[in-house]
Amino acid sequence: MKMKPFVRERNFLLLMTGVFINEIGSGLYLIAGMLLVLNLSGSVFFSGLAVFAITSAGAMSFLIAPLANYAKYKNSLVYSNLIKGLILLSIPLLHYTIGLNVWYVISLLFIVALFTQYTYPIESTVLPIIVGKDNIVEANSYLQTIREGFNIAFLAGAGIIVTFIGTIPAISIFAVCLLVVSLLYTFFNFPQPDISRENLKSVQSATIAYVSDLKGGFNYIKNSLVPKMIFSIVFINIAMVIMTTNLPAFALTKGNGTEAAYGFYLAAMSLGMLIGALVTPKLKHIDFGKLIIVTFFGTGLMWMGTATLPLIPSIMLYCAGAVSIGVLNILVFSSIQKQVETQFIGRVITLLTSAASIGMPVGALIGGFIGEAFAPHISVMICSISIILFSVYWLSSSVLRKLPSIEHVNLFSGSGA
């Protein structure tokens, strides 16, 4: 397979290396952060608060994205990672001196998540600048492959590593990774787009400019296909969270009480999404509408098998069903990056991710109720049926059903955007 020229491009290599280093530590951080909260509080309730704090930051991301317009993209990436690294280093510093408080740790998890919501859309914005819009699908596939590949590795082993070295050293490793990424990004030399900004001389003028930018993101997409995509992603996310909320209990049931089964299901999801990221460049010439309808209908059927079959075939079908999620992620975000004006890419993608995050606590509440009232496999079956209904919704919509290949999809046809 011939390597694409953009893969050797300096700025793409820097971005890819940064993602690589970030993923090395993030698997440890996510597990260590939750375990640290649990260890400090001795209560699962506080672990729930930590998850709520992180997902709340995701739900607020549409409010954060316009702030990216007030700094150069390079500076934003450098200083955001630097600040996150320094914030997290305060955890081992306090631990080895005056001691840690659980509320302090939860607050830091929330703040770090807010900074992540700020930098993620910037990474999505600079990617078309670095690789060119014609290479977006392939570039996203490369980056997603790195992310999902390391998710698989660390979901399988991060718990063991954290148990061996402890939560504080694990968080310290991630903090150091962030500092290295910050240093690495100082070597970016991609062209900064000339985005006009008001001369912000006061808090009032800054607020007016911010609100204007926020409205601009909504106005930009209101007559496009993006709202339909947002609805689809929200629906999928609620269904997914209903299932994943009950996944630990479901895995224990399937594995006859073996806790390792939960890790196997998580790794299977990541593996499926990785396969989706890898095959997406080969599928980009297929009509987008038909591709989504067929793949998600198949996912619904496979996850019905996940709910009803024994452990090994259940995990295999769970993995296979996740392939469509990986494909959808790459194609949707790639289409936005190809067609949305540079200064709006971050805001549009953030609207999508914010909407998805808003659905997560709703799905968690529904999933918790279902888990209390029924057996764990019921939630997996509900998710499966919801995925099939999603496919049927696309089939019933002439606009979505007739969407051409991602190379020819016009998100803003007739919108005047």
Side-chain angles (χ1 to χ4, degrees):
M1 179 179 171
K2 186 178 179 181
M3 186 175 290
K4 295 285 185 178
F6 73 82
V7 177
R8 302 184 184 90
E9 203 276 329
R10 165 197 171 97
N11 291 296
F12 183 74
L13 286 174
L14 287 170
L15 181 62
M16 192 161 59
T17 305
V19 171
F20 176 87
I21 295 172
N22 206 316
E23 290 300 317
I24 287 176
S26 63
L28 290 172
Y29 164 70
L30 289 173
I31 292 178
M34 294 300 104
L35 287 176
L36 179 59
V37 170
L38 186 60
N39 292 339
L40 289 173
S41 65
S43 169
V44 177
F45 171 74
F46 280 92
S47 295
L49 287 179
V51 174
F52 176 79
I54 294 171
T55 55
S56 294
M60 293 170 60
S61 59
F62 76 98
L63 297 171
I64 301 168
L67 299 175
N69 283 344
Y70 304 112
K72 291 183 177 180
Y73 297 146
K74 174 181 173 179
N75 292 344
S76 295
L77 291 173
V78 170
Y79 290 116
S80 293
N81 283 288
L82 176 63
I83 293 170
K84 284 199 296 184
L86 293 175
I87 286 174
L88 289 177
L89 282 177
S90 71
I91 290 179
L93 178 64
L94 291 177
H95 173 75
Y96 294 118
T97 54
I98 63 175
L100 279 172
N101 179 277
V102 66
W103 290 107
Y104 177 78
V105 174
I106 291 175
S107 299
L108 287 198
L109 293 176
F110 175 69
I111 293 170
V112 169
L114 284 178
F115 274 101
T116 299
Q117 301 308 319
Y118 175 71
T119 55
Y120 180 72
I122 296 175
E123 290 177 356
S124 300
T125 300
V126 302
L127 192 60
I129 300 173
I130 292 173
V131 304
K133 291 185 179 285
D134 292 338
N135 296 307
I136 284 299
V137 175
E138 289 83 359
N140 274 323
S141 181
Y142 271 96
L143 293 178
Q144 193 68 9
T145 297
I146 292 174
R147 289 190 176 104
E148 296 303 333
F150 273 85
N151 270 341
I152 296 167
F154 278 97
L155 283 172
I160 297 173
I161 294 172
V162 171
T163 301
F164 181 72
I165 67 174
T167 57
I168 302 299
I171 290 174
S172 301
I173 290 173
F174 182 54
V176 171
C177 287
L178 289 171
L179 296 179
V180 172
V181 170
S182 176
L183 176 63
L184 184 72
Y185 285 170
T186 61
F187 295 98
F188 274 139
N189 63 355
F190 57 82
Q192 297 284 331
D194 183 20
I195 303 172
S196 61
R197 300 180 178 87
E198 292 185 24
N199 186 18
L200 306 178
K201 297 179 180 179
S202 67
V203 174
Q204 182 180 7
S205 61
T207 302
I208 292 172
Y210 167 78
V211 172
S212 176
D213 278 349
L214 190 61
K215 289 181 178 178
F218 284 99
N219 290 334
Y220 189 86
I221 68 167
K222 67 179 181 180
N223 295 319
S224 72
L225 286 176
V226 177
K228 286 182 178 290
M229 289 184 172
I230 289 177
F231 172 79
S232 299
I233 291 173
V234 170
F235 184 82
I236 288 293
N237 246 39
I238 291 175
M240 290 280 291
V241 175
I242 288 173
M243 176 175 65
T244 55
T245 298
N246 289 276
L247 194 60
F250 174 77
L252 285 172
T253 302
K254 287 290 183 182
N256 294 320
T258 304
E259 293 181 352
Y262 179 46
F264 295 154
Y265 275 101
L266 291 177
M269 171 65 77
S270 289
L271 178 59
M273 293 182 68
L274 170 62
I275 294 170
L278 289 172
V279 303
T280 298
K282 302 293 185 182
L283 303 176
K284 66 179 183 179
H285 301 297
I286 301 175
D287 286 355
F288 185 52
K290 294 176 182 176
L291 180 65
I292 295 302
I293 291 168
V294 172
T295 56
F296 275 83
F297 189 82
T299 292
L301 293 179
M302 284 185 280
W303 282 355
M304 284 183 176
T306 295
T308 55
L309 294 176
L311 180 64
I312 300 302
S314 174
I315 290 175
M316 293 174 65
L317 288 175
Y318 191 63
C319 173
V323 172
S324 63
I325 307 296
V327 172
L328 179 66
N329 284 344
I330 295 291
L331 291 182
V332 168
F333 286 103
S334 296
S335 64
I336 289 171
Q337 287 170 314
K338 284 172 71 71
Q339 297 185 43
V340 174
E341 296 172 29
T342 299
Q343 64 267 37
F344 285 99
I345 290 175
R347 276 175 278 176
V348 172
I349 287 180
T350 302
L351 284 173
L352 283 172
T353 54
S354 292
S357 297
I358 289 171
M360 290 172 70
V362 175
L365 291 175
I366 297 173
F369 172 78
I370 292 172
E372 286 292 320
F374 305 101
H377 73 276
I378 297 297
S379 65
V380 181
M381 187 62 72
I382 289 174
C383 179
S384 306
I385 295 170
S386 299
I387 296 292
I388 292 175
L389 290 176
F390 168 81
S391 176
V392 172
Y393 167 72
W394 273 61
L395 181 64
S396 64
S397 169
S398 60
V399 174
L400 296 176
R401 183 178 66 250
K402 296 177 181 178
L403 286 176
S405 68
I406 202 67
E407 300 288 323
H408 300 98
V409 168
N410 187 353
L411 296 178
F412 299 96
S413 177
S415 68

